[in-house]
Amino acid sequence: QEDQARQARQARQDEEEQMEELASAGRAALVASQRGGDFGSGALGHPRPCKQYGRIIVWFRRDLRLTDNPALLAASLLAEEVVCVYVYAPEEDGQFQPGRCSRWWLKSALSSLRRELWERCETQLLFFRAPDSGRLLASLVEDMKADGVFFNHLYDPISMVRDNEVKTLLRRNEVVCQSFNCDTLREPWSVVDADSNAYASFESFWQAHQDEERLGRVAKPAPMVGRLCDGSGGGVGGLGKAAKSDAPAGVCLGLQSSLSLTGEWHCATLEDVGILSRQEAASNVQLEVHWKPG
């Protein structure tokens, strides 16, 4: 058990180091864009990061933002094209499914993310309704001929079990599957004492964290990404370069005909995913007066 724990800590450490390298490359690209260049385009003589993959799927969950999103940044740096998907699978949450107000917030945040992805990245956010995220992602990888799936960690017990199953399924199919820390300041295993044990008090943990921060060992927030495809192919099923007038509708432009998804899988609009019923949407009108998601 000690050997397994040691191997797990080493794997997590390697993953954190990789994420820091990606974030550093992203910050360099951001500096170039602030000087007038295009993020990730190689403008102003700044070399583009090496593109290791043709197409990567980024699986959004609770990280509905473009800034400080390590999975999205990594995909933008390493892939020629990034396909952004959101899978609504409430059955996976069991008894912990979100309530009506939480689902109103989710739908509003997804609408905001969809708009920002198009305006900033010229990329559509694809919505899917499915009872099993892992099986859907495996189908998408096959039908889109994607090289891998990137997503950010979640730490609740149900999500940890599901994410482990997704990784196992995809890696069994020889698909690249990489997850990143986007939910915590530091991952639990990344700040330990000299005996590789977790600190027993916040004061000792915070002191160790600050010491590492002073030494430059703590990853900074990832910068906002820019355009997510090279502009040459137009994306999956014509998704990459659809007319701007089409973007707000959130329709999966051409995807139905370009994918062989059948049975329980289907690509849908945000309205058709079923996050809120019509009755629930009508009863949430007052929330818009007090809350502004996004």
Side-chain angles (χ1 to χ4, degrees), residues 59 61 92 151 154-169:
W59 177 25
R61 281 99 68 77
E92 294 181 332
F151 59 91
L154 292 175
Y155 288 96
D156 61 277
I158 290 179
S159 295
M160 292 179 70
V161 171
R162 177 194 56 207
D163 292 356
N164 184 61
E165 292 174 348
V166 169
K167 285 185 176 182
T168 300
L169 173 62

Side-chain angles (χ1 to χ4, degrees), residues 23-44:
S24 298
R27 288 193 294 273
L30 180 63
V31 170
S33 68
Q34 291 173 338
R35 294 174 179 172
D38 183 14
F39 177 72
S41 68
L44 299 180

Side-chain angles (χ1 to χ4, degrees), residues 56-102:
I56 289 291
I57 294 173
V58 173
W59 177 25
F60 280 89
R61 281 99 68 77
R62 299 174 195 162
D63 48 350
L64 306 179
R65 58 183 183 270
L66 303 186
T67 302
D68 195 18
N69 190 321
L72 184 61
L73 175 64
S76 71
L77 294 175
L78 296 178
E80 294 291 345
E81 182 183 0
V82 178
V83 179
C84 299
V85 305
Y86 181 84
V87 182
Y88 185 56
E91 294 84 358
E92 294 181 332
D93 292 327
Q95 61 179 323
F96 301 106
Q97 294 185 30
R100 175 175 58 87
C101 293
S102 296

Side-chain angles (χ1 to χ4, degrees), residues 4-245:
Q4 291 177 346
R6 189 180 305 108
Q7 292 174 1
R9 286 194 295 268
Q10 183 61 47
R12 291 298 186 181
Q13 182 179 351
D14 293 343
E15 188 172 287
E16 190 172 74
E17 290 175 355
Q18 180 189 29
M19 188 178 70
E20 170 59 18
E21 292 176 1
L22 293 170
S24 298
R27 288 193 294 273
L30 180 63
V31 170
S33 68
Q34 291 173 338
R35 294 174 179 172
D38 183 14
F39 177 72
S41 68
L44 299 180
H46 293 270
R48 293 176 58 170
C50 177
K51 302 291 187 178
Q52 300 178 19
Y53 309 108
R55 178 176 294 146
I56 289 291
I57 294 173
V58 173
W59 177 25
F60 280 89
R61 281 99 68 77
R62 299 174 195 162
D63 48 350
L64 306 179
R65 58 183 183 270
L66 303 186
T67 302
D68 195 18
N69 190 321
L72 184 61
L73 175 64
S76 71
L77 294 175
L78 296 178
E80 294 291 345
E81 182 183 0
V82 178
V83 179
C84 299
V85 305
Y86 181 84
V87 182
Y88 185 56
E91 294 84 358
E92 294 181 332
D93 292 327
Q95 61 179 323
F96 301 106
Q97 294 185 30
R100 175 175 58 87
C101 293
S102 296
R103 285 184 283 114
W104 173 85
W105 182 278
L106 170 63
K107 183 179 178 182
S108 300
L110 284 169
S111 179
S112 176
L113 175 64
R114 177 187 62 188
R115 182 173 56 254
E116 290 181 6
L117 269 171
W118 181 255
E119 293 175 352
R120 174 76 183 182
C121 308
E122 299 183 12
T123 298
Q124 289 279 352
L125 176 61
L126 309 185
F127 301 101
F128 292 89
R129 174 70 172 89
D132 188 318
S133 299
R135 291 174 58 199
L136 172 63
L137 290 169
S139 296
L140 288 178
V141 167
E142 181 178 356
D143 290 338
M144 291 182 175
K145 295 180 173 54
D147 297 301
V149 176
F150 286 3
F151 59 91
N152 294 310
H153 301 316
L154 292 175
Y155 288 96
D156 61 277
I158 290 179
S159 295
M160 292 179 70
V161 171
R162 177 194 56 207
D163 292 356
N164 184 61
E165 292 174 348
V166 169
K167 285 185 176 182
T168 300
L169 173 62
L170 293 177
R171 289 172 177 172
R172 186 188 305 135
N173 296 338
E174 299 183 348
V175 174
V176 175
C177 186
Q178 183 69 45
S179 61
F180 301 84
N181 176 32
C182 189
D183 201 43
T184 60
L185 177 65
R186 300 293 302 276
E187 302 219 61
W189 47 81
S190 66
V191 185
V192 293
D193 62 20
D195 297 322
S196 298
N197 296 318
Y199 287 102
S201 68
F202 175 78
E203 289 78 10
S204 57
F205 158 80
W206 189 244
Q207 182 61 53
H209 167 76
Q210 290 182 312
D211 291 342
E212 292 196 11
E213 190 173 33
R214 281 191 288 269
L215 294 173
R217 298 175 181 171
V218 179
K220 302 297 182 183
M224 179 178 288
V225 300
R227 207 168 76 182
L228 295 179
C229 65
D230 60 9
S232 61
V236 181
L239 287 167
K241 298 296 291 181
K244 284 214 172 187
S245 59

